Amino acid sequence: MKKLVMGLGLSFTLLTGCSSMSQNSELNASQPTALTVEFVGTARHAVQPQQGIVSLYAVDSRMADVAATLIQQKQVQVSEVPFKVDFSVPANHRQQIQPPVREGADLSYYVTWQSDTKNLTGKDAIVIDYDRQFPRVKLGHGIQQVYLK
């Protein structure tokens, strides 16, 4: 009898925990996710003022040889490094991804920087340092750093 009561109590506790977790997940899934990306160099320094576009991409991490889907772009004016770019990733951004991803798929996110290099020489343009680290970011993990050359 003791084992039966204990088993029922444990089952009830697990089911209650699971149902409350899914309600919280649904609540968070309906709200946009904030993402802050900080572009950093070796030290704080001024750069020739320039405009650029920071793009956020997503792709199913288990898919090979598929193009990533553009989720959002921000145009920014930069005059010093480091600088930050804030994204508000819509809750339904998974529906934009092509090819379509299954529910619960593990997604990889990354950012790119494209300078408007009309009046810049090669040494003045901001460039992501892909050799140091690929500019992968994670949603909901605070400020993400991307390294520049």
Side-chain angles (χ1 to χ4, degrees):
M1 184 72 169
K2 241 183 185 180
K3 289 181 183 180
L4 180 65
V5 171
M6 219 150 137
L8 287 173
L10 183 58
S11 298
F12 180 73
T13 304
L14 287 173
L15 290 174
T16 304
C18 291
S19 65
S20 66
M21 283 175 44
S22 65
Q23 288 173 354
N24 290 339
S25 299
E26 289 172 15
L27 178 63
N28 292 338
S30 66
Q31 298 176 355
T33 303
L35 170 66
T36 300
V37 180
E38 181 178 32
F39 290 85
V40 298
T42 54
R44 178 178 292 276
H45 64 280
V47 294
Q48 184 173 352
Q50 55 193 281
Q51 266 192 329
I53 296 175
V54 178
S55 302
L56 174 66
Y57 291 90
V59 66
D60 186 338
S61 60
R62 296 183 184 209
M63 295 288 283
D65 300 328
V66 295
T69 301
L70 176 64
I71 301 297
Q72 202 170 66
Q73 286 185 321
K74 295 281 184 157
Q75 188 165 7
V76 295
Q77 182 73 30
V78 178
S79 59
E80 79 172 6
V81 171
F83 62 95
K84 292 181 183 178
V85 178
D86 295 316
F87 290 99
S88 179
V89 181
N92 65 349
H93 73 279
R94 287 176 162 269
Q95 296 168 354
Q96 298 174 340
I97 298 174
Q98 294 299 323
V101 295
R102 61 180 165 65
E103 186 69 31
D106 187 29
L107 299 179
S108 291
Y109 299 90
Y110 68 92
V111 294
T112 62
W113 164 264
Q114 183 178 357
S115 288
D116 181 11
T117 56
K118 292 178 190 169
N119 300 320
L120 298 174
T121 62
K123 67 179 180 76
D124 293 329
I126 293 173
V127 179
I128 291 178
D129 190 352
Y130 290 96
D131 294 330
R132 185 168 178 187
Q133 184 178 11
F134 190 77
R136 189 167 284 120
V137 294
K138 294 181 180 180
L139 298 183
H141 282 82
I143 297 174
Q144 307 286 304
Q145 289 189 334
V146 172
Y147 298 103
L148 301 173
K149 288 184 179 182

